[in-house]
Amino acid sequence: MHLLPTQEAIQTKQESQHRHTMTNSQKLDSYPPFVHQSPGIDHCGNPTKNLQKPESESVPDSDSLPVVDLLSSHPERISESSREWGMFRLVNHGVESKLLSKILECAAEVFSLSFESKQVVFDGPIQYFWGSPAISLAGNSQQESPCAQNLHWLEGFNVPLEKITQFKYEDPLLESFRALLEEYGNQQSLVAEEIFKTMTEDLEFSSTKSKSYLSLASGLLRVYRYPWCPLSELRWGIGEHTDSSVLSILHQDQVGGLQVCKGSKWLDVQPSPGALVVNIGDLMQAMSNDKYVSVKHRVKVNKEKDRISIGYFVFPTEDALIDSSNYRLFTYADFQADRELDFKTLGTKIGLPRYKIVPENSE
């Protein structure tokens, strides 16, 4: 086990606790550069009037997301929600409520460290990123320039769960954060395994497919902070996208901002204390032959409050062969490599349409 030394850039725990109680204006040094902007001018010196206003309209009071009780005797609710929505709220999931609270509190404290210190200290196994949720296969942020047009109003930590068990931090705050992430990841993997088991029965996967289609060793966490934004009507925390996972499981604070696309309408997903939000990823859609939906979703930013969320993402084994009559054969390794190339060359992913089989008689 490797011991990571305390960096001079890290504030003491006492300083961090003091910082956590400060107002937004008093803790600006904890934010990425894009927060340090004057009204009408972005952090790169460009007029914000040149930014295209996002299409952010959603249906008021629209939160009708289905609820699944993991302890109930009605597993068909998982398959129904996956087919009709691609997303559902999960209750009685088994993740300890105390852990859910502590991990959000600790994340807020860590995010309150200075921007410079987060860049210095979190260079492995927990990696800090900002301005883009896209992480390369090497684990690096794929944000080529903080002035890029596709800048996302966020910062975060990328946490490969297999790797964080091999390190410890000397700093008490950082080690507490690492330990909480490890425990949280362990509990989420149990939840994912239980959900996936129900799905494999519904989709009638063979035992071979079931074993390769979900690899708990691939699990990772993304801890996000979406800073408050006075120009929230001009920025997205994360714009419209689908996840590249098999399953994604979200834990969020009570600020709100998550939206899901149902049909042609965007619906607000209001926070619900103690509940998790599960959504289907691209790979599960392909595995299910499009029976399940990899749902489009996005995150709005708040004018006055930071929003913190923690996503658990799980994938297949590297050599898993995705066998579907609607898509040409591809492995998870193929999907990863193509996704990374897309982000480098296009700034976004093509995803499943790259592999979609188009009928010969279609125009």
Side-chain angles (χ1 to χ4, degrees):
M1 180 172 289
H2 301 284
L3 191 65
L4 299 185
T6 304
Q7 303 290 333
E8 292 182 0
I10 290 295
Q11 291 92 337
T12 63
K13 188 172 183 180
Q14 181 179 5
E15 289 173 335
S16 297
Q17 291 171 338
H18 176 63
R19 181 180 302 281
H20 185 55
T21 65
M22 293 181 175
T23 63
N24 286 331
S25 61
Q26 290 175 307
K27 61 176 184 178
L28 283 176
D29 69 332
S30 75
Y31 293 109
F34 55 70
V35 174
H36 303 269
Q37 64 182 42
S38 301
I41 301 292
D42 71 15
H43 70 286
C44 297
N46 303 313
T48 54
K49 66 181 181 181
N50 293 337
L51 291 173
Q52 184 178 0
K53 183 177 180 179
E55 296 293 332
S56 59
E57 293 299 318
S58 60
V59 179
D61 302 320
S62 58
D63 192 3
S64 53
L65 198 68
V67 177
V68 171
D69 185 335
L70 198 58
L71 291 182
S72 75
S73 57
H74 301 285
E76 67 275 4
R77 286 287 291 161
I78 291 179
S79 59
E80 290 171 0
S81 303
S82 299
R83 292 168 186 264
E84 296 175 15
W85 283 77
M87 180 180 285
F88 54 88
R89 202 185 303 280
L90 190 69
V91 299
N92 288 326
H93 42 67
V95 180
E96 299 170 4
S97 58
K98 185 177 180 180
L99 177 60
L100 293 176
S101 298
K102 286 178 67 176
I103 199 167
L104 286 178
E105 292 170 2
C106 191
E109 195 169 355
V110 172
F111 276 122
S112 292
L113 298 172
S114 73
F115 173 66
E116 290 77 13
S117 68
K118 285 179 286 193
Q119 289 184 302
V120 170
V121 174
F122 292 107
D123 60 353
I126 300 174
Q127 293 183 309
Y128 176 71
F129 61 92
W130 64 280
S132 172
I135 305 297
S136 72
L137 294 179
N140 302 313
S141 174
Q142 294 179 326
Q143 176 67 45
E144 294 183 3
S145 167
C147 299
Q149 289 297 311
N150 62 346
L151 177 77
H152 298 267
W153 201 263
L154 58 74
E155 61 177 331
F157 299 105
N158 188 62
V159 187
L161 291 169
E162 271 210 322
K163 295 182 180 179
I164 62 170
T165 60
Q166 304 168 25
F167 291 84
K168 285 191 180 295
Y169 293 94
E170 286 185 352
D171 181 87
L173 173 60
L174 302 189
E175 177 53 23
S176 176
F177 187 48
R178 187 207 64 78
L180 283 169
L181 290 170
E182 181 179 354
E183 176 58 24
Y184 180 76
N186 289 338
Q187 293 196 25
Q188 286 289 19
S189 67
L190 296 176
V191 175
E193 194 172 32
E194 186 66 23
I195 294 172
F196 185 73
K197 179 182 176 182
T198 299
M199 291 178 170
T200 60
E201 293 171 355
D202 174 51
L203 297 169
E204 299 181 342
F205 286 163
S206 67
S207 59
T208 302
K209 282 187 176 181
S210 297
K211 289 178 182 178
S212 65
Y213 277 3
L214 188 78
S215 171
L216 296 180
S218 71
L220 64 85
L221 298 176
R222 293 277 177 81
V223 186
Y224 296 109
R225 178 169 76 163
Y226 303 92
W228 61 284
C229 181
L231 301 171
S232 58
E233 69 277 6
L234 297 177
R235 291 291 190 187
W236 283 108
I238 298 182
E240 175 184 328
H241 69 287
T242 60
D243 289 347
S244 299
S245 58
V246 175
L247 293 173
S248 305
I249 306 176
L250 181 74
H251 172 39
Q252 59 180 328
D253 64 16
Q254 297 303 298
V255 173
L258 176 64
Q259 294 183 332
V260 60
C261 187
K262 180 74 166 81
S264 60
K265 296 180 180 180
W266 285 97
L267 311 179
D268 293 318
V269 180
Q270 301 295 345
S272 178
L276 301 172
V277 176
V278 179
N279 69 269
I280 302 302
D282 294 342
L283 293 165
M284 176 54 86
Q285 176 171 328
M287 293 169 181
S288 71
N289 227 15
D290 294 336
K291 293 182 177 69
Y292 291 178
V293 182
S294 181
V295 66
K296 294 178 182 178
H297 52 289
R298 63 190 186 186
V299 177
K300 297 187 299 183
V301 290
N302 190 285
K303 273 192 173 183
E304 299 177 349
K305 297 179 181 179
D306 296 343
R307 175 180 183 265
I308 292 178
S309 66
I310 304 171
Y312 169 85
F313 305 88
V314 66
F315 306 87
T317 60
E318 289 283 327
D319 60 352
L321 186 64
I322 312 303
D323 184 7
S324 166
S325 61
N326 289 343
Y327 300 89
R328 61 181 175 85
L329 290 174
F330 66 94
T331 65
Y332 174 48
D334 295 333
F335 189 86
Q336 285 190 95
D338 288 336
R339 174 182 175 273
E340 181 163 2
L341 180 61
D342 290 343
F343 275 112
K344 285 182 178 179
T345 57
L346 305 174
T348 187
K349 74 175 182 182
I350 295 176
L352 289 183
R354 179 190 298 277
Y355 309 98
K356 189 76 172 180
I357 296 175
V358 180
E360 293 182 1
N361 59 352
S362 66
E363 296 182 358

